[in-house]
Amino acid sequence: GATTSDDRILFAVGTWTLHEVIFVTVNLFLYMCYHFDLFAKFRVDPKATYPSGQLVRKALFKAVISHGISLPALYFTAPAFFWFGMSAGVEIPRLRTIAWQVLFCMVFEDTLFYWSHRLLHHRRIYKYIHKQHHEFVTTIGIASEYAHPVESLVANLIPTLCGAMVIGAHFVVLWVFLFLRTWETVDSH
């Protein structure tokens, strides 16, 4: 069926809100773990020091700007997703369908991320784009999205969103995958 303005709003606001809630919640939880020395025996590097306040503030500022831009960007790019068949549909897909499509999104994203990340480490590109991400020597959750705008688009946004787009997945599939992916990337940093 034809998509409506309501579909665009649901896609943009739903996707943006889910990402924000997971990004902020997981980052706050991890900050509390560090601040109150919770689960210290499980740290990868117990001697690592928290990044400087200046770098954290810089990353927070860039995150606010980036996340602020992403809501209208999602709204205006929604027709491309709908063109591939993504929809809010009346019926939520069966659990089996959600499972295989989320798995597809994981493999798709992992493949695109690997190759784009590898490209960003090329000696002729690294210092102009990806070096910013590596300002964090000891990483924290917010560092997961601390990236040059080109990197944000090429290595983060496109790989994350396009798997669901190319298979014309239901919004629920995208949102389940986005929930898992956002949690994983924040936690792994």
Side-chain angles (χ1 to χ4, degrees):
T3 57
T4 66
S5 177
D6 289 346
D7 292 333
R8 287 177 77 174
I9 292 168
L10 178 62
F11 172 77
V13 173
T15 303
W16 184 85
T17 301
L18 175 70
H19 175 267
E20 295 308 305
V21 167
I22 300 306
F23 185 79
V24 170
T25 302
V26 176
N27 268 297
L28 282 174
F29 172 74
L30 293 172
Y31 175 76
M32 299 303 275
C33 287
Y34 175 81
H35 185 73
F36 294 109
D37 210 24
L38 305 173
F39 312 111
K41 69 180 184 176
F42 297 108
R43 285 194 184 149
V44 174
D45 183 359
K47 294 180 174 114
T49 58
Y50 203 75
S52 74
Q54 179 183 1
L55 182 56
V56 172
R57 284 188 297 281
K58 186 175 167 185
L60 282 168
F61 176 77
K62 287 186 177 225
V64 168
I65 299 298
S66 173
H67 293 196
I69 292 168
S70 65
L71 180 58
L74 284 165
Y75 179 79
F76 289 110
T77 60
F81 290 87
F82 300 152
W83 187 81
F84 277 88
M86 280 190 77
S87 72
V90 179
E91 288 186 38
I92 293 176
R94 297 175 66 160
L95 191 55
R96 176 175 56 218
T97 301
I98 293 171
W100 81 258
Q101 289 185 348
V102 166
L103 181 61
F104 175 86
C105 291
M106 287 176 172
V107 172
F108 189 93
E109 187 278 335
D110 198 48
T111 302
L112 281 184
F113 177 80
Y114 170 80
W115 287 105
S116 61
H117 189 246
R118 186 173 173 151
L119 175 66
L120 291 172
H121 272 272
H122 188 279
R123 70 182 189 280
R124 292 190 177 150
I125 298 172
Y126 178 81
K127 66 183 174 183
Y128 301 108
I129 297 172
H130 191 56
K131 185 177 181 180
Q132 175 181 321
H133 182 69
H134 287 283
E135 286 178 36
F136 280 90
V137 177
T138 301
T139 64
I140 58 173
I142 196 156
S144 65
E145 295 188 12
Y146 181 64
H148 185 280
V150 170
E151 179 176 358
S152 290
L153 179 65
V154 171
N156 298 340
L157 260 160
I158 290 172
T160 301
L161 297 177
C162 285
M165 182 177 83
V166 300
I167 58 173
H170 191 280
F171 289 2
V172 167
V173 171
L174 171 65
W175 294 340
V176 168
F177 172 65
L178 185 61
F179 172 88
L180 296 170
R181 180 65 181 121
T182 304
W183 187 311
E184 181 272 334
T185 195
V186 172
D187 180 59
S188 68
H189 280 81

